[in-house]
Amino acid sequence: MPTPEKPRLALIAGPTASGKSALAIALAEQIGGVVINADASQVYRDLHVLSARPSPDDEARVPHRLFGYVDGAAAWSAARWAADAAAEVRRAHETGKVPVLVGGTGLYLRTLLDGIAPVPEIDPLVRAAVRALPVAEAHAALSHEDPAAAARLHARDTTRVARALEVVRATGRPLAAWQAARVGGIGAAVDVRGLVLLPDRETLFARCDARLTAMFADGGVAEVEALLARADVPVDAPVRRAIGVQEVAAMLTGTLSRDEALTAAQQATRQYAKRQYTWFRNQLPAEWQCCTAPNLQLYFAKDG
């Protein structure tokens, strides 16, 4: 008996400012697709300009899903997004559409396709004790309690070192052991056609700088001002950690001048794009095509 053909899932990924959104829309127009957001900042409705969400004109060209659908007061996670994205993928297939995932948040993509490690909730007391440690002390403790993780992680990577340490202390198992038992991924059930945009870095960084300049001029400052005025959005909310928010906030309080804030935001964006560039080059399946000038007919044609 022949094996049933898997439903198609197109995926366009890449660093910020790589042009992936425009390509995803063009692809969706060609193949009858639904564009599904896979960017952690673009889920928040509070940040349309600063997160570079598609314009209303772009959204009118093809259906868009999971853009600006989360309130800034909510602390969204990769797991919550993946559940929403899996539902949108199923809905697209049920209506005869091709889901076109687009984004630059690697953790979101991996969680959706590969599943998530079923790590239990961490005891708040354990978490508080670990997060209170200086990163050097946390890494030293990790060297004793989970040597493999300590060897794998950079000694100054505050977030990842703390996560590995709190997991092994709270559960008695290394984080890697939990990650080896991922659950909930949809990757095995779909035919993933992945395309990763990797422009040359000089071009990419120039686009980052130009886009930040436009964001500051075209409403980004007003977005941050409105966000900061909300008493229900905690200071440590994920939406307030989006690139550009802290820099504009410093400008609004007089800590930085406008030019200084813009320069700082541009630098932060370039650094983020560099990290994304490295991640996409090294972490994704070998069969996904990495390129600067994609051929949509070749990689995503309806009959291909």
Side-chain angles (χ1 to χ4, degrees):
M1 186 173 182
T3 302
E5 185 175 332
K6 294 179 181 179
R8 183 84 51 88
L9 186 152
L11 188 153
I12 297 180
T16 184
S18 60
K20 55 190 177 291
S21 179
L23 187 61
I25 292 171
L27 172 62
E29 288 179 324
Q30 288 188 24
I31 64 175
V34 176
V35 177
I36 301 173
N37 171 49
D39 182 282
S41 293
Q42 290 185 352
V43 303
Y44 292 107
R45 68 175 58 98
D46 304 72
L47 297 180
H48 194 146
V49 175
L50 275 186
S51 70
R53 272 168 37 202
S55 69
D57 287 343
D58 285 337
E59 291 193 348
R61 290 169 58 184
V62 294
H64 281 66
R65 303 288 184 263
L66 305 187
F67 289 88
Y69 77 112
V70 177
D71 185 78
W76 228 239
S77 66
R80 297 178 76 175
W81 172 84
D84 295 338
E88 292 294 348
V89 168
R90 287 193 298 270
R91 189 172 295 116
H93 287 148
E94 289 168 357
T95 57
K97 299 286 188 179
V98 179
V100 181
L101 283 172
V102 59
T105 303
L107 178 60
Y108 273 28
L109 298 172
R110 292 295 298 268
T111 300
L112 175 65
L113 298 178
D114 300 338
I116 191 167
V119 181
E121 288 292 326
I122 303 300
D123 184 323
L125 294 178
V126 173
R127 170 162 289 170
V130 168
R131 303 287 168 135
L133 293 173
V135 65
E137 290 184 27
H139 192 268
L142 191 63
S143 298
H144 293 288
E145 299 176 49
D146 185 355
R152 184 174 66 253
L153 298 175
H154 194 287
R156 292 193 297 274
D157 191 335
T158 303
T159 301
R160 290 182 174 83
V161 168
R163 177 59 175 168
L165 183 58
E166 71 183 18
V167 168
V168 72
R169 284 189 174 179
T171 70
R173 295 178 63 193
L175 180 58
W178 289 106
Q179 292 175 332
R182 292 179 179 272
V183 296
I186 69 169
V190 294
D191 175 13
V192 180
R193 306 291 181 93
L195 180 63
V196 182
L197 297 183
L198 294 175
D200 70 86
R201 297 198 182 198
E202 184 176 344
T203 299
L204 182 64
F205 295 160
R207 289 178 181 174
C208 289
D209 287 350
R211 191 165 75 173
L212 260 295
T213 298
M215 286 175 175
F216 268 56
D218 298 336
V221 173
E223 280 186 343
V224 175
E225 193 168 20
L227 181 65
L228 298 180
R230 292 188 55 180
D232 61 331
V233 179
V235 294
D236 60 347
V239 69
R240 293 186 62 161
R241 296 198 296 269
I243 293 176
V245 172
Q246 294 182 7
E247 292 81 4
V248 172
M251 181 190 79
L252 293 172
T253 59
T255 305
L256 296 177
S257 68
R258 184 184 180 89
D259 287 346
E260 290 170 338
L262 175 57
T263 298
Q266 288 173 327
Q267 182 178 11
T269 302
R270 291 194 300 271
Q271 290 171 343
Y272 179 56
K274 184 177 180 180
R275 293 194 299 272
Q276 287 180 303
Y277 200 106
T278 301
W279 193 93
F280 282 118
R281 292 252 345 220
N282 298 305
Q283 297 296 323
L284 295 181
E287 64 269 22
W288 290 15
Q289 178 68 27
C290 294
C291 60
T292 58
N295 185 326
L296 295 183
Q297 294 285 345
L298 177 62
Y299 296 114
F300 298 112
K302 280 186 174 182
D303 57 352

